[in-house]
Amino acid sequence: VQLQASGGGLVQAGDSLRLSCAVSGGTFSRYNMAWFRQAPGKERDFVASISSKGGRTYYGQSVVGRFTVSRDNAKNTVYLQMDNLNPEDTAVYYCAAYDGNYYDVDVDYWGQGTLVTVSS
């Protein structure tokens, strides 16, 4: 299973950005999907997850109300809509796929990451 994240870039505080993650080489609808991020000098943190059929989502506390995760199983793609960005959101964002229960985020596959930089 291969994951290809895209959509990162340089934005200003308060702007919006949408990340995409295209999945190939597997049965996309089988997998729960998640987004993580890693800021410079920090550990990789959980951002959001979505169940395999898209019915359930879960968010990290720092992004609740600002970020929205969604998926299109017909396009084998998961999205992360990020609104009202602030400089603390600056990080490399990774998409991930995992099997099993959606609330048990035990990653099976990682994407390569896309850089989001938010200027003040």
Side-chain angles (χ1 to χ4, degrees), residues 97-113:
Y98 61 104
D99 210 342
N101 295 314
Y102 88 99
Y103 51 80
D104 184 13
V105 186
D106 186 9
V107 175
D108 294 303
Y109 303 100
W110 290 97
Q112 89 290 0

Side-chain angles (χ1 to χ4, degrees), residues 77-101:
T77 302
V78 61
Y79 306 97
L80 185 68
Q81 176 68 40
M82 305 184 294
D83 298 321
N84 194 22
L85 285 160
N86 60 63
E88 289 70 39
D89 296 316
T90 294
V92 177
Y93 284 71
Y94 298 89
C95 58
Y98 61 104
D99 210 342
N101 295 314

Side-chain angles (χ1 to χ4, degrees), residues 6-105:
S6 62
L10 174 62
V11 297
Q12 294 185 334
D15 285 351
S16 297
L17 201 60
R18 189 177 80 156
L19 306 182
S20 299
C21 176
V23 179
S24 60
T27 304
F28 180 67
S29 60
R30 164 184 172 181
Y31 292 99
N32 308 298
M33 299 297 297
W35 288 94
F36 290 76
R37 66 185 183 185
Q38 187 167 18
K42 296 187 177 181
E43 295 185 351
R44 191 172 297 188
D45 290 333
F46 170 81
V47 174
S49 62
I50 186 167
S51 58
S52 59
K53 301 298 187 290
R56 298 183 178 184
T57 58
Y58 184 70
Y59 297 92
Q61 277 299 110
S62 62
V63 305
V64 169
R66 299 188 300 122
F67 290 13
T68 304
V69 61
S70 62
R71 65 190 294 160
D72 186 338
N73 283 1
K75 295 183 178 180
N76 289 1
T77 302
V78 61
Y79 306 97
L80 185 68
Q81 176 68 40
M82 305 184 294
D83 298 321
N84 194 22
L85 285 160
N86 60 63
E88 289 70 39
D89 296 316
T90 294
V92 177
Y93 284 71
Y94 298 89
C95 58
Y98 61 104
D99 210 342
N101 295 314
Y102 88 99
Y103 51 80
D104 184 13
V105 186

